[in-house]
């Protein structure tokens, strides 16, 4: 467990295509003395924080002053797993590149850059009271615990069905980092007609066909889909700005409810403490 604020030890660059725009995006990662992860898009600074979230329909999108950046969740999960609390990311497009559909390439680049530790503490958010948010049959709740423990349930049409997974030691859950995003063939067509998912391919997403996985290589893990939902949740929780501690149970949750949960936690100072 990290104890203090950290940043990357040296500058690095990454590029790739946006899942929705299909366009190439360049990013430059810089060490940052100030607390938190923030983006700089055309001179506009956008903190990667839950209160900057503007859209949660297909990804977690943050925005400010007319600028917005979509699909931040996998990159945020990579910062979480790499143990980095402070970083400034210069980006030249409105969407974080999708890379291989997981957090792996981001995480690996951070790991190679190395970590620099500052003397300041206060990187954890410990939940002190149970907090829950619901929407139809989807819900997510968090209870007090000294670690981050996540149980996720998903329920999709066959061949996926109901899948449940518990990760008790999230900070060291390597099978979550490289689990890829996924989509259903019939939804892809509708999304592409709406001008989105232009960059989607079998190189950056798991495609679920009528009765099987379309990707010739199949899955990386038998529970890769539910793993990926946990990855999204970790990335979304990290938009709290802190490493969240608590026992999380989630049923068919997504970016909208993940964001609502943080808003609910922060709605009362009795719900949490920072240290
Ligand atoms: Zn995702």
């Amino acid at each position: 467990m990290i104890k203090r604020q950290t940043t990357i030890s040296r500058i690095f660059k990454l590029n790739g295509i946006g899942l929705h725009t299909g366009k190439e995006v360049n990013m430059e990662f810089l060490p940052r003395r100030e607390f938190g992860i923030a983006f700089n898009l055309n001179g506009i600074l956008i903190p990667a924080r839950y209160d900057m979230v503007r859209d949660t329909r297909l990804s977690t999108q943050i925005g400010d002053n007319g600028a917005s950046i979509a699909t931040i969740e996998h990159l945020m999960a990579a910062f979480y797993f790499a143990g980095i609390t402070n970083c400034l990311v210069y980006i030249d497009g409105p969407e974080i590149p999708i890379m291989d559909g997981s957090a792996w390439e981001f995480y690996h680049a951070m790991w190679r850059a190395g970590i620099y530790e500052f003397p300041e503490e206060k990187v954890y958010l410990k939940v002190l009271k149970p907090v829950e948010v619901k929407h139809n049959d989807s819900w997510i709740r968090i209870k007090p615990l000294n670690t981050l423990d996540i149980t996720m349930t998903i329920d999709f049409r066959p061949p996926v069905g109901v899948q449940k997974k518990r990760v008790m030691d999230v900070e060291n859950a390597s099978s979550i980092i490289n689990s890829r995003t996924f989509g259903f063939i019939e939804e892809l067509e509708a999304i592409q007609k709406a001008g989105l998912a232009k960059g989607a391919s079998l190189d950056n997403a798991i495609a679920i066909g009528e009765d099987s996985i379309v990707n010739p290589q199949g899955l990386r893990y038998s529970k890769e889909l539910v793993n990926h939902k946990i990855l999204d949740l970790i990335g979304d929780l990290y938009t709290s700005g802190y490493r969240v501690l608590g026992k999380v149970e989630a049923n068919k949750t997504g970016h909208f409810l993940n964001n609502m949960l943080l808003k609910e936690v922060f709605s009362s100072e009795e719900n949490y403490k920072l240290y």
Side-chain angles (χ1 to χ4, degrees):
M1 281 176 109
I2 70 160
K3 291 268 186 282
R4 299 172 192 281
Q5 293 183 22
T6 58
T7 192
I8 50 175
S9 283
R10 60 181 177 84
I11 296 171
F12 64 90
K13 293 179 182 182
L14 279 177
N15 59 28
I17 60 159
L19 181 67
H20 293 300
T21 58
K23 290 190 179 144
E24 180 155 342
V25 191
N26 299 290
M27 297 190 295
E28 187 170 12
F29 293 72
L30 280 78
R32 188 182 197 213
R33 187 67 185 88
E34 278 171 78
F35 185 58
I37 309 293
F39 295 95
N40 186 317
L41 172 61
N42 301 324
I44 298 172
L45 190 76
I46 312 175
R49 234 177 30 223
Y50 74 100
D51 55 343
M52 306 304 285
V53 170
R54 299 291 177 261
D55 195 332
T56 51
R57 283 170 295 180
L58 291 170
S59 74
T60 295
Q61 183 194 78
I62 51 171
D64 201 18
N65 287 317
S68 65
I69 303 169
T71 323
I72 67 163
E73 59 272 18
H74 306 160
L75 178 59
M76 292 305 291
F79 278 123
Y80 174 85
F81 281 114
I84 293 165
T85 63
N86 308 6
C87 190
L88 180 61
V89 184
Y90 277 84
I91 186 164
D92 66 356
E95 188 180 9
I96 304 292
I98 189 66
M99 312 310 280
D100 73 341
S102 78
W104 172 251
E105 290 173 65
F106 300 135
Y107 171 79
H108 192 65
M110 291 168 193
W111 178 81
R112 272 196 324 235
I115 291 182
Y116 181 86
E117 197 177 86
F118 295 117
E120 288 86 357
E121 299 186 334
K122 207 178 256 194
V123 296
Y124 285 94
L125 182 154
K126 185 175 180 189
V127 170
L128 301 177
K129 287 180 167 184
V131 176
E132 178 173 349
V133 290
K134 287 182 191 181
H135 183 70
N136 297 328
D137 60 345
S138 304
W139 50 261
I140 179 166
R141 57 180 170 242
I142 186 163
K143 295 175 191 166
L145 191 73
N146 287 329
T147 59
L148 178 58
D149 176 324
I150 295 177
T151 303
M152 174 71 71
T153 306
I154 60 172
D155 184 3
F156 290 104
R157 70 151 170 83
V160 178
V162 175
Q163 288 186 22
K164 187 172 183 176
K165 174 144 176 173
R166 182 177 182 191
V167 182
M168 295 172 69
D169 180 17
V170 171
E171 290 198 324
N172 297 303
S174 58
S175 67
I176 303 299
I177 303 172
N178 66 344
S179 287
R180 295 163 294 170
T181 192
F182 58 91
F184 294 84
I185 288 293
E186 67 273 16
E187 286 172 10
L188 181 66
E189 211 169 290
I191 294 171
Q192 286 185 331
K193 268 187 189 156
L196 297 165
K198 285 180 189 162
S201 78
L202 296 180
D203 292 330
N204 58 35
I206 300 164
I208 301 156
E210 227 167 274
D211 46 26
S212 62
I213 301 296
V214 178
N215 305 54
Q217 311 290 333
L219 297 174
R220 291 176 178 170
Y221 305 97
S222 62
K223 289 199 170 179
E224 185 170 4
L225 305 185
V226 69
N227 281 359
H228 186 80
K229 284 290 181 184
I230 296 173
L231 177 77
D232 283 341
L233 173 57
I234 292 167
D236 285 342
L237 288 176
Y238 204 35
T239 64
S240 64
Y242 299 91
R243 303 176 72 78
V244 171
L245 301 176
K247 182 171 168 50
V248 179
E249 291 170 288
N251 184 59
K252 298 166 69 174
T253 184
H255 303 302
F256 171 73
L257 275 188
N258 299 346
N259 185 246
M260 290 292 290
L261 181 76
L262 291 182
K263 286 179 173 164
E264 194 61 31
V265 168
F266 282 111
S267 70
S268 166
E269 285 185 7
E270 291 177 6
N271 286 340
Y272 65 94
K273 77 168 179 188
L274 305 174
Y275 70 94

